[in-house]
Amino acid sequence: MEKEVSYNKQSFKIGNLDKTFYPNADLTKGDVIEYYEKIADTILPYLKNRPLTLQRFPNGIADKNFYQKDKPDYFPDWIESLTTKKQDGDKIEYVLCNNKATLIYLVNQAGIIFHTGLSTQKNLEKPDKIIIDLDPSTTNFETIKTAAKRIKKIIEEKLNATAFVMTTGSRGLHVMLPIKLQANFDEVREFSQNLATYIAKQYPEDLTTAVRKNKRENKLFLDVARNALGQTAVCPYSLRAIKNAPVATPLEWDELAQLESAQKYTVSNIFRRLAQKDDPWAQFSDKAVSFKNLQEKLEKL
């Protein structure tokens, strides 16, 4: 099954719409495209001008997948891109998903999961957010929620900044802190490691920064490795490749109390949520704080 579509004055064909992408949820490729069509206005602000890593599933989530960073030669010229150098000196041409046409084109290429960098095209060397990833291997979800609230308390009370939280759509939560464009990735990475160390020391029975799993003693790992150039995090409102088609979902902090799983919001209920509640992260950028002030406050602690 194939048809021609047009977005932003760009026309292209989408095909294999009846191919099964989520066997357990009985969702086809056409259903996935329909999801991204409907969520476009909500997800695009989180994708705009950020280097994109696309996770593609040509035959649906039950089959092989691969990550794509480089823009292929066969992509149309109207899809924007960003060329940058990797640490080894090689160049990489990232896709920029800045409009609905690009979004749907990428989904038609079997792109299901969107991962974005922590900086934008204009200031690629300077991140505008810090992320602490709470993605457990054995810890139960209540422990993750408790950890997220503890991190929030420290960020807000000790650093005088605003913390944001979202489900990953997989197993855990992301806690994020918006920052002003004042520091490069090395500085932000060092700060995030120091912050994680400080937080773990406040709750040594429950939290750890030990990278090696055999050193964690069943404690929850505070993962800050994503705070580096070339690293990515799942984009808010991206689908995940899990049987019920869960969605990475920004939350209000008071919603954690009733949250039983990072997979609560799915393709089947996310639009009901958005009809009842505005995007909790709509003011994310407006809450950015001085990185230098954060450094000074953490050093005093």
Side-chain angles (χ1 to χ4, degrees), residues 2-57:
E2 184 178 84
K3 67 177 182 179
E4 184 154 323
V5 294
S6 181
Y7 308 94
N8 315 108
K9 299 181 181 179
Q10 306 296 345
S11 298
F12 53 93
K13 290 181 179 179
I14 57 176
N16 296 318
L17 301 181
D18 52 355
K19 180 181 284 188
T20 299
F21 264 24
Y22 285 82
N24 294 86
D26 196 27
L27 295 175
T28 64
K29 180 182 178 184
D31 294 323
V32 173
I33 289 176
E34 182 180 355
Y35 167 76
Y36 278 109
E37 283 181 321
K38 290 174 68 176
I39 205 72
D41 289 344
T42 305
I43 194 174
L44 280 170
Y46 297 104
L47 292 168
K48 190 173 183 180
N49 291 327
R50 294 186 185 274
L52 176 67
T53 297
L54 190 66
Q55 195 170 353
R56 294 172 61 179
F57 297 77

Side-chain angles (χ1 to χ4, degrees), residues 121-155:
Q121 179 182 24
K122 186 179 285 189
N123 296 283
L124 197 62
E125 302 289 334
K126 294 183 177 181
D128 59 6
K129 64 186 78 172
I130 293 169
I131 178 170
I132 301 176
D133 183 6
L134 307 176
D135 191 6
S137 52
T138 57
T139 310
N140 67 51
F141 196 63
E142 288 301 316
T143 302
I144 300 165
K145 293 184 343 183
T146 299
K149 287 184 282 189
R150 287 170 168 173
I151 293 168
K152 172 184 184 289
K153 183 179 176 67
I154 287 173
I155 287 174

Side-chain angles (χ1 to χ4, degrees), residues 46 49-52 115-121 123-132 174-177 179 181 183 185 188 192 224-234 284:
Y46 297 104
N49 291 327
R50 294 186 185 274
L52 176 67
H115 305 268
T116 55
L118 274 66
S119 61
T120 62
Q121 179 182 24
N123 296 283
L124 197 62
E125 302 289 334
K126 294 183 177 181
D128 59 6
K129 64 186 78 172
I130 293 169
I131 178 170
I132 301 176
H174 284 172
V175 178
M176 290 199 193
L177 168 60
I179 56 174
L181 299 172
F185 270 100
V188 171
S192 64
V224 294
R226 297 180 189 275
N227 298 290
L229 185 62
Q231 293 294 312
T232 63
V234 65
F284 186 91

